Amino acid sequence: MLEPGDETAGRWLRESGPVALWHALSQDDAPPPLGASPTKFAGLRLRAARARPALDLAAVAALGGRFVCPGDEEWPSQLDDLGDARPIGLWVRGAANLRIWALRSVAVVGARACTDYGAHLAATLGAGLAERGWTVVSGAAYGIDGAAHRGALAANGPTVAVLASGIDHPYPRGHTELIDRIAEQGLVVAELPPGDHPTRSRFIQRNRVIAALTRGTVVVEAELRSGSLVTARRAQTLGRFTMGMPGPITSGLSAGVHQLLRGEAAVVTDAHEVVELVGSIGELAPERRGPTFARDLLDPVALRVLEALPARGGADVAHLARESGTPRDLAQGKLFELHSLGFVQRCGERWELVRGAHSTEGSRRGGT
């Protein structure tokens, strides 16, 4: 009903609450919010008249998805940093827990019409981050976005696609298969309800979600007027790490990155340097020495996967899926959750228990 990033409507939502705001927009005799302009209020009432929340919930449920809003256990609280521009909720496809995956996440963004050099960097970076247990977040667009997602998928790692359309409206159409694969192995997230289409302004507003959701943003290739620079600068204003991968000085597709690097962005050349930088941000980086939550607070599926791990040595995903009676993609997603919480570690294609892992009540390092 509300357009993404509408701070005025977001302020009304914060001041009056969702029930009162819905009543004001859907009932002809209800007074408008204090200070609302007649034109804007009339426009929102027209949108409210077209809203069909029950049908939207049924549509996303048919895809195996869900709606996550502030206050839910799965809501990533770092999105609250957006203030009144915070999404009213997110539509999510995929079995993993969005909040837990976002604890250790990095955005990889860049040009749609990228070079072979840029695509190689993005794919290698996506794979390297995934191998280290970091979630790769991007926008599922052509070019750098798609290469970063594919790199993470090839490494059997976690990745999240944030769409500028409804969750049932894969965009670009040429990436329908990729987006479906991400939904199987990772997560697909959308702020707009099912059926909505992308617009130029919605792409820009989508970028704020990518910036806020992650612990840092890496720009691989970008021209001087690039949407990926909007993401990076929004990340800066939110206090996130902003990084860039330098390219040839003769390439226009590196000009935007180099401009960013002349400001507050840090130079990075591989996944190790990204993790070294993002992992040094104290409370925002989870400790690897032990779990964040007590073992008995794990959900039943995660607990089954954890208990399937041998006391000594390791096991691959196929073995753990079989032993825990869990579908492979779901078991893999739970392993990355357990990794974020400090219970397990990845050694190549195998997973092992972290030695000395125990409950750390009261410690919530890495986010809330």
Side-chain angles (χ1 to χ4, degrees):
M1 181 180 68
L2 302 183
E3 191 67 18
D6 187 336
E7 294 190 57
T8 300
R11 175 173 56 80
W12 295 342
L13 183 63
R14 172 174 53 81
E15 291 174 348
S16 61
V19 175
L21 182 57
W22 171 253
H23 181 79
L25 294 175
S26 60
Q27 303 297 320
D28 292 336
D29 58 346
L34 187 64
S37 72
T39 301
K40 183 176 184 64
F41 189 64
L44 287 175
R45 276 195 161 176
L46 288 174
R47 292 174 66 92
R50 297 195 302 267
R52 298 292 184 269
L55 294 179
D56 291 339
L57 289 169
V60 77
L63 293 172
R66 58 202 177 274
F67 183 69
V68 178
C69 62
D72 288 346
E73 180 276 332
E74 195 178 353
W75 180 254
S77 61
Q78 59 265 39
L79 292 177
D80 300 343
D81 293 345
L82 291 169
D84 289 337
R86 178 184 71 175
I88 63 172
L90 294 173
W91 304 87
V92 182
R93 285 177 64 195
N97 185 297
L98 176 61
R99 182 181 67 83
I100 293 178
W101 272 26
L103 294 177
R104 294 167 56 84
S105 62
V106 176
V108 180
V109 298
R112 286 176 172 82
C114 67
T115 64
D116 290 341
Y117 165 83
H120 173 73
L121 286 183
T124 303
L125 180 60
L129 289 168
E131 287 169 353
R132 289 163 174 80
W134 285 79
T135 301
V136 177
V137 179
S138 198
Y142 292 131
I144 297 300
D145 288 19
H149 287 305
R150 290 189 181 95
L153 291 171
N156 292 318
T159 188
V160 176
V162 183
L163 305 184
S165 59
I167 205 165
D168 61 341
H169 187 93
Y171 189 90
R173 289 295 186 183
H175 273 180
T176 298
E177 184 177 348
L178 173 63
I179 292 169
D180 287 343
R181 179 59 187 139
I182 293 171
E184 293 174 3
Q185 182 171 319
L187 291 170
V188 177
V189 175
E191 186 176 357
L192 291 161
D196 272 18
H197 63 279
T199 64
R200 180 177 177 82
S201 65
R202 289 173 173 177
F203 280 115
I204 294 172
Q205 294 301 331
R206 181 272 307 273
N207 293 344
R208 86 193 194 288
V209 176
I210 294 176
L213 186 65
T214 54
R215 301 314 188 193
T217 294
V218 184
V219 182
V220 177
E221 279 189 325
E223 294 182 306
L224 290 173
R225 292 176 58 86
S226 169
S228 57
L229 298 183
V230 175
T231 307
R233 287 167 180 147
R234 191 59 179 266
Q236 284 181 332
T237 65
L238 292 168
R240 313 293 197 258
F241 275 98
T242 305
M243 298 154 276
M245 302 190 82
I249 61 173
T250 54
S251 172
L253 283 168
S254 294
V257 180
H258 295 162
Q259 183 187 67
L260 195 67
L261 293 174
R262 288 197 298 272
E264 298 298 320
V267 175
V268 292
T269 60
D270 58 23
H272 174 77
E273 292 179 356
V274 173
V275 172
E276 184 179 67
L277 183 63
V278 178
S280 68
I281 55 180
E283 292 299 316
L284 295 182
E287 287 189 319
R288 295 177 183 243
R289 292 185 292 105
T292 300
F293 298 111
R295 184 187 183 105
D296 59 0
L297 294 180
L298 294 172
D299 68 73
V301 178
L303 188 58
R304 286 205 311 271
V305 174
L306 180 63
E307 291 177 343
L309 277 158
R312 296 185 180 278
D316 59 23
V317 175
H319 174 84
L320 295 173
R322 185 171 59 253
E323 290 299 309
S324 63
T326 307
R328 180 189 173 93
D329 285 339
L330 180 57
Q332 184 164 268
K334 293 302 177 183
L335 284 166
F336 282 110
E337 290 183 19
L338 292 166
H339 185 280
S340 293
L341 298 175
F343 285 102
V344 301
Q345 60 190 9
R346 185 175 182 179
C347 300
E349 293 299 313
R350 299 173 70 80
W351 292 85
E352 299 177 352
L353 291 170
V354 171
R355 294 297 130 206
H358 58 83
S359 170
T360 55
E361 305 288 358
S363 173
R364 295 175 68 89
R365 298 178 67 84
T368 56

